Amino acid sequence: MTPQKVKAAGFDIDGTRIDTGPPHREAERATVRAFGFDDLAADHPVTFGKGVIPGAQLVAEHYGIDSTEGVLAEYLRQWKRIAEAGIDLLPGAESAVRTVAGSGILVALVTSGERGYADEFLRIPGLADVFVCSVTLEDVVKLKPDPEPHLRAAETTGVAPPACVVFEDSVSGFRAARLAGMYSVDVGEVALNAIGDDAHSLVYRPFHVLHLP
């Protein structure tokens, strides 16, 4: 990719803006208990970062539950309960978004979650005025690692992909960005061992000064 001046930035939610790992796992634990299981299995499938519908499918298949819709509905009910009790923003998350937006870069929310989930996130930190648009699972046919979500955000902001950068915390996010022709910024530790197409382009650490070209 040829470097260009950054004009738009896409931000993931889970693990990038808010610390959703622990509450996500707790919501899944409460979900399987609602279906009669004592706790999460030792070989519980990795669902974090895959989107709520694919995650519900994995859980339903793993535990032999015949209704993915039922698992999804219960998970969303448990998630709402936990979210209403409060979920913390990751250190530096709000300042990073505001720094990027304050530099004149258009900021988009790009998540594999539902529209209601994205809207709830925007209400929690009061950042609705910062994001110019949001792309959720209802807006696309394919989720990350397919590039469609990031390309849809670029289309909505009117910015060409090479002038976009995305902030992600997962290999699927890095791969989606690369396939979209965008640079990716790693938030977290996931990318430390990622190589090739699974790797990020840049690294961002909370409390560090954020510089974009």
Side-chain angles (χ1 to χ4, degrees):
M1 291 180 288
T2 302
Q4 293 188 14
K5 179 178 176 59
V6 174
K7 297 181 180 179
F11 285 88
D12 179 44
I13 296 179
D14 295 324
T16 306
R17 301 299 93 205
I18 54 179
D19 188 13
T20 48
H24 165 74
R25 190 166 181 82
E26 180 54 35
E28 287 198 327
R29 177 175 287 110
T31 296
V32 300
R33 284 176 174 170
F35 282 90
F37 297 89
D38 293 334
D39 204 344
L40 297 178
D43 59 346
H44 182 77
V46 176
T47 59
F48 187 69
K50 296 183 181 297
V52 290
I53 293 178
Q57 291 173 333
L58 286 171
V59 171
E61 291 171 2
H62 191 81
Y63 291 87
I65 302 171
D66 60 7
S67 173
T68 296
E69 292 78 9
V71 171
L72 178 61
E74 182 61 27
Y75 172 82
L76 291 175
R77 188 178 74 82
Q78 296 294 344
W79 173 263
K80 182 177 181 181
R81 173 183 61 81
I82 294 169
E84 287 176 347
I87 297 177
D88 296 330
L89 281 170
L90 287 167
E94 181 174 355
S95 62
V97 174
R98 292 194 181 280
T99 296
V100 173
S103 67
I105 294 172
L106 300 176
V107 177
L109 193 67
V110 185
T111 177
S112 295
E114 295 182 312
R115 170 64 53 191
Y117 177 59
D119 291 344
E120 194 65 31
F121 162 75
L122 290 172
R123 282 193 289 270
I124 292 173
L127 290 175
D129 60 317
V130 177
F131 289 91
V132 299
C133 69
S134 57
V135 176
T136 69
L137 67 82
E138 288 97 337
D139 302 312
V140 297
V141 175
K142 296 181 179 180
L143 299 173
K144 308 169 195 174
D146 191 273
E148 185 182 358
H150 289 312
L151 291 174
R152 178 61 61 87
E155 179 184 6
T156 302
T157 58
V159 176
C164 296
V165 63
V166 300
F167 290 77
E168 289 277 2
D169 73 315
S170 68
V171 166
S172 64
F174 307 145
R175 180 176 286 273
R178 189 177 300 277
L179 292 172
M182 303 175 182
Y183 282 95
S184 60
V185 180
D186 164 41
V187 181
E189 306 299 327
V190 173
L192 292 179
N193 298 316
I195 60 175
D197 289 341
D198 291 341
H200 60 290
S201 306
L202 303 167
V203 178
Y204 166 67
R205 290 289 177 264
F207 306 118
H208 288 196
V209 176
L210 181 64
H211 294 291
L212 293 173

